Amino acid sequence: MTTDRKGAMSPEEIVAGQLAAYNRRDLEEFLGYYVEDVPVFGFPSGNELADRSGPAFRGRYERLFADSPGLHAELLSRAVHGNVVIDHERVSGFRDDDTARFAVAIYQVGPERIEKVWFVD
């Protein structure tokens, strides 16, 4: 993600960019789409997931990308409402496990980056 373009990107473009960086396992680009110390919550509980939030966010994805060379998230559907983007994904290649998992992520996007994330429990 280029720094001079971030502010001109829509919430949907920001979320799409982080998904593309995730699929390339490009940690620095992926992290560039999030505010520093992004909070991550469970939905509907609303509890912050300490092992996924803030400082733990970088480490979690650094390990995941290193341990999962076949990691890939396929976008099944996306809903956009203002600055909220909801993705339904089919994710495969976790640590060389071919079993696909389904994930729903809700992103609250600020002017330049993703500011909060909820993962559906």
Side-chain angles (χ1 to χ4, degrees):
M1 174 175 57
T2 58
T3 305
D4 60 338
R5 186 158 186 266
K6 285 185 295 193
M9 295 175 74
S10 71
E12 184 173 9
E13 289 171 320
I14 290 170
V15 171
Q18 67 83 39
L19 182 61
Y22 176 97
N23 281 334
R24 288 191 304 277
R25 293 171 312 286
D26 183 330
L27 182 65
E28 295 308 317
E29 182 179 351
F30 175 76
L31 294 173
Y33 285 98
Y34 292 86
V35 295
E36 189 173 336
D37 295 336
V38 62
V40 179
F41 302 94
F43 181 89
S45 70
N47 295 329
E48 187 166 3
L49 305 175
D51 66 331
R52 297 185 190 189
S53 288
F57 192 80
R58 172 183 279 278
R60 177 182 179 78
Y61 285 96
E62 187 172 47
R63 285 186 303 279
L64 180 63
F65 291 173
D67 294 345
S68 306
L71 187 65
H72 183 78
E74 174 189 359
L75 182 64
L76 300 176
S77 65
R78 173 172 287 152
V80 180
H81 184 75
N83 70 332
V84 174
V85 180
I86 304 168
D87 278 2
H88 181 213
E89 304 166 353
R90 179 182 179 273
V91 184
S92 58
F94 281 104
R95 295 173 179 84
D96 294 328
D97 179 358
D98 288 335
T99 305
R101 301 172 184 166
F102 293 90
V104 175
I106 304 166
Y107 303 95
Q108 180 179 323
V109 184
E112 297 183 354
R113 291 183 172 81
I114 297 166
E115 296 182 344
K116 291 182 184 176
V117 181
W118 291 262
F119 287 111
V120 175
D121 297 335

